[in-house]
Amino acid sequence: MADAEPGWELYRSFLGVLKEGSLSGAARALGLTQPTVGRHVEALEQALGLSLFTRSQLGLAPTEAALALAPYAETLAATAAALLRVAESQGDGVRGTVRITASEVIGVEVLPPILAALREQHPALKIELGLTNRVEDLLKREADIAVRMVRPSQDVLWARRVGAVELGLHAREDYLARHGTPRSFGELLNGHAIIGFDRETAFLRGARKALGPLRRDAFSLRADSDLAQLAAIRAGYGIGVCQVGLARRDARLVRVLPKAFSLPLETWVTMHMDLRDNPRCRVAFEAVAEGLQGYIEGEAR
Amino acid sequence: MADAEPGWELYRSFLGVLKEGSLSGAARALGLTQPTVGRHVEALEQALGLSLFTRSQLGLAPTEAALALAPYAETLAATAAALLRVAESQGDGVRGTVRITASEVIGVEVLPPILAALREQHPALKIELGLTNRVEDLLKREADIAVRMVRPSQDVLWARRVGAVELGLHAREDYLARHGTPRSFGELLNGHAIIGFDRETAFLRGARKALGPLRRDAFSLRADSDLAQLAAIRAGYGIGVCQVGLARRDARLVRVLPKAFSLPLETWVTMHMDLRDNPRCRVAFEAVAEGLQGYIEGEAR
DNA sequence: CGTCCGCCATACAGAACCGTATAGCGGGTG
DNA sequence: CACCCGCTATACGGTTCTGTATGGCGGACG
C-alpha cells in the first residue's frame, strides 16, 4: 500500500534471490546475511504491494509477478556493472575492463592469442570473457563487445564484418583408417560414428536445411557443447562438424566430404555506438576484429 | 581504492546531484537531506576512486568522469521507473501506469481526447505524458509508447505507421484581410510577419530543403516552442507553419500557399517488443494508434 | 527410523546511517 | 556597504538497518 519508491538496494537483493533461488544463497552471493536479504525482499514486497516469492523450507519460488520484473532487475545489474567498467576506465590511456562475449568455440580456440597480444600492448587493460551461445544483449549493456554470427540490425550498434567462418565435417585420420572415409552422405550415415547436437537451438533450426541429413537420430554422440564436440573429434571418436580453420591446426584431422557439406557463417564484431569514443573499447574492438579477420583469412588459405 | 561495489542507492543520489546541480537541490528532489546526499557522493567517489564533482559554494560542477557516467545513471533511473510501472500493472485487467512520449503539439492538441476515451474505457489505467521533441529512448525504457515522426529502425521495437501528418502555412483570416494573402514565396517574404523557429534542431536540418526560403533571418517571430508558434498563428500574429488538421479546427485560420508549401510527416506509434503482451501497453498502443489514424484521416478529408 | 544438512523465521546487540542544528562562505540586492 | 539568501561542511543525537545467534522445519541418506 505504501508506495514510497523502494530503495534501489532492494532490487539487488531481489535479483540475487531470483538467481540463487534462496535467501541464504543470495546472501552468500551478495556478501550479506540471510536475515538481511529476507528483510529486503519483504520490504520490496511491501513497497510494491505484490507477493514476489512463495516461501518454503527448501527455498523461495518466484511468483508470476517476480518473473515479470526479472528482466528489469537484470537490466539494472547489467547497467550498474557497465557503469563500473566505465568508471574504471577513466583516466589517461587504455585502461579498465572490457567485457567481450563470444561463442564458446571462438572464445576458447580463437580469441586467447588475440587477447594475449592485446594485453601485451596495453598492460593496464583487463578483459572479461562471457562465453555463451546465447546472444548477450549489447543494448542491455551485458557486454561491451560481441562476436556474433548474425548481422546486427540495431542502428545504435556499430558492427564490422570480419568474414565468414566455414564449418565442415572432420575426423581424425586414424579413425578414418579404421573405418574408411565416407564418399557420400549415404556412406556417412551408414555405420559411422557421427558427433552432433543434443537439443535443437534456434541457430540449428535456422540452419536445418544446410545440415541436410544430419539429424538428431543419426548421431552416435550427442552433445550441446560445441567444445565437447570438438574435443570428441580430436579424440578420434568419429566424424563431426567443426570450424575448418581449427581443424587445419591439428595435422591429424582430416576433412570429410568437403564438397557435400560446407556451412559458411557470416561473422560480425559488434559494439554499442556510445562506446566508440571510449579508448578501451575502441582498442579492443580493433584488436578482436583484426584478429578474427586474420583467423578467417588464414582459414581460407 | 577500496573497490567494494558501491550501493545502488548511491547512484540515485549521484544522478540527483547531476540533474539538480547542488547537494541541497538533490536532497529536496530525493526527499533526503543535504548532508546525506553529500555523504553519498563522497562514498561513491571513494568507491570508484574518482573525483565526480568540483565543490564550490554555489553548487557542484560535474567532472568529466561524472559526465561519462551520467548516461548509465540515467538508464538505471529509467529502468527502475519502468520496473515500478510493470509492478503496478500486475494483477488482472488493464491497470497501472503507461508512459507515453510525444511531441508537444501532438500531446497538447491531439492526444487529450484520445486519452480521455481510453481512460473512460479503462478507469484503472493511469497515464504519464512526456512531451518533448527530443526522442525519448524506448530502448532505455524512458517510455512505454512513443509517437514519432521517424520510422524506427530498431528491430526490438514494434511500430505501426498511422499515416502522414501534413504541415502547411497558415494565418488568421483577419491578418490576411489587413495585409493581403501572399500568392508566392516572393510576396510572403516581402513584408509579411512570418513565424518560425529560433535555433535549428536536428529535425529542421533534415527538413531544410523542404522549408525552401523559410530561413531564420526571414522570421518576424522566432520561437523554438511549436506550441508558441501555433498560439501565435491563432492570435493573428502572422503566417506560420502548423499541422493542417489543427488549422481546420479553427474556422478563422486559412491556409496560405497550399501548393507551394506542404510537408508531410510520416508518423509512427512505437513500443518495445517486450511490452507487446502487457495488457496496459497493448491497450494504450491500440488506442493511440487508432486515435492518431483517425486524426490524420480526418485531416485529409 | 534416526541423523544430518540446508533452509526460513525470529530475537537481540552493535554498527551504520540519517536527520537536525550550526558555522562559514560567496553572490546578489537595495 | 550592509543585508539576505543559498550553498557546503561539520558535529551530535536518534533511528534504522545489519549481523550474530538460535529455534524449527523438511528432505536426503545410511
Side-chain angles (χ1 to χ4, degrees), chain B:
Chain B
M1 294 299 106
D3 60 351
E5 190 183 338
W8 289 7
E9 289 295 338
L10 305 184
Y11 297 135
R12 193 202 277 180
S13 295
F14 166 65
L15 184 60
V17 174
L18 215 47
K19 291 209 287 193
E20 298 293 329
S22 74
L23 297 182
S24 318
R28 279 191 297 273
L30 296 171
L32 299 174
T33 58
Q34 170 255 323
T36 299
V37 177
R39 283 188 284 257
H40 284 180
V41 170
E42 200 175 356
L44 188 58
E45 288 180 323
Q46 187 82 17
L48 299 180
L50 288 173
S51 170
L52 294 173
F53 297 95
T54 57
R55 266 84 167 170
S56 82
Q57 269 76 3
L58 36 77
L60 279 73
T63 64
E64 205 170 321
L67 293 177
L69 301 181
Y72 297 87
E74 278 164 16
T75 299
L76 287 177
T79 306
L83 186 150
L84 286 181
R85 290 198 298 274
V86 172
E88 200 185 355
S89 74
Q90 290 302 115
D92 292 335
V94 175
R95 52 187 295 122
T97 303
V98 61
R99 181 174 175 82
I100 303 173
T101 174
S103 70
E104 289 189 328
V105 172
I106 293 285
V108 169
E109 299 286 340
V110 183
L111 286 185
I114 298 173
L115 299 181
L118 175 62
R119 210 213 97 88
E120 283 304 317
Q121 212 166 349
H122 301 284
L125 193 63
K126 301 188 191 72
I127 297 170
E128 278 180 29
L129 257 187
L131 297 189
T132 161
N133 289 332
R134 170 179 78 83
V135 178
E136 287 198 34
D137 200 334
L138 291 183
L139 296 176
K140 276 193 173 184
R141 312 282 187 180
E142 287 176 17
D144 299 315
I145 295 173
V147 180
R148 293 181 163 178
M149 302 309 188
V150 288
R151 182 194 187 114
S153 60
Q154 316 290 347
D155 60 3
V156 295
L157 296 185
W158 194 51
R160 183 185 302 176
R161 184 181 179 280
V162 293
V165 170
E166 186 184 5
L167 298 184
L169 286 166
H170 295 84
R172 216 166 73 182
E173 55 186 6
D174 60 328
Y175 169 88
L176 295 175
R178 287 196 304 274
H179 297 85
T181 301
R183 301 180 188 283
S184 68
F185 270 124
E187 285 186 28
L188 174 66
L189 294 172
N190 197 0
H192 271 287
I194 308 182
I195 302 162
F197 56 84
D198 183 14
R199 290 167 304 179
E200 270 203 347
T201 62
F203 166 74
L204 288 168
R205 275 189 293 278
R208 189 179 294 170
K209 59 178 176 299
L211 290 174
L214 296 175
R215 310 184 77 87
R216 189 173 184 281
D217 48 4
F219 301 148
S220 160
L221 174 63
R222 298 177 190 138
D224 281 332
S225 163
D226 295 332
L227 283 176
Q229 293 186 28
L230 179 60
I233 296 172
R234 284 176 172 156
Y237 180 97
I239 302 175
V241 173
C242 75
Q243 298 187 13
V244 173
L246 293 181
R248 279 241 180 73
R249 293 180 182 171
D250 187 333
R252 300 169 307 167
L253 294 188
V254 178
R255 183 154 183 197
V256 176
L257 294 173
K259 288 169 189 161
F261 183 84
S262 169
L263 185 55
L265 296 181
E266 296 285 314
T267 306
W268 300 78
V269 180
T270 313
M271 184 169 72
H272 201 289
M273 275 287 185
D274 298 351
L275 299 175
R276 212 177 19 179
D277 298 326
N278 186 305
R280 79 187 201 286
C281 293
R282 180 157 201 112
V283 161
F285 182 91
E286 292 296 333
V288 170
E290 299 211 354
L292 281 175
Q293 205 154 356
Y295 163 71
I296 290 175
E297 284 166 4
E299 168 192 80
R301 66 150 193 261

Side-chain angles (χ1 to χ4, degrees), chain A residues 148-226:
Chain A
R148 292 182 165 178
M149 302 309 189
V150 288
R151 180 190 190 120
S153 60
Q154 317 289 347
D155 61 2
V156 294
L157 296 185
W158 194 51
R160 184 186 300 175
R161 183 180 179 278
V162 293
V165 170
E166 184 184 6
L167 299 185
L169 286 165
H170 294 84
R172 216 166 72 183
E173 55 186 6
D174 59 329
Y175 169 88
L176 295 175
R178 286 198 305 274
H179 297 85
T181 300
R183 301 179 188 283
S184 68
F185 269 124
E187 285 187 29
L188 174 65
L189 295 173
N190 196 358
H192 272 287
I194 307 180
I195 301 162
F197 56 83
D198 182 15
R199 289 167 305 180
E200 269 203 347
T201 63
F203 166 73
L204 288 169
R205 275 189 293 277
R208 191 180 291 170
K209 60 179 177 296
L211 290 174
L214 295 175
R215 310 184 78 87
R216 189 174 184 280
D217 47 5
F219 301 149
S220 160
L221 175 62
R222 298 177 191 138
D224 280 332
S225 163
D226 295 333

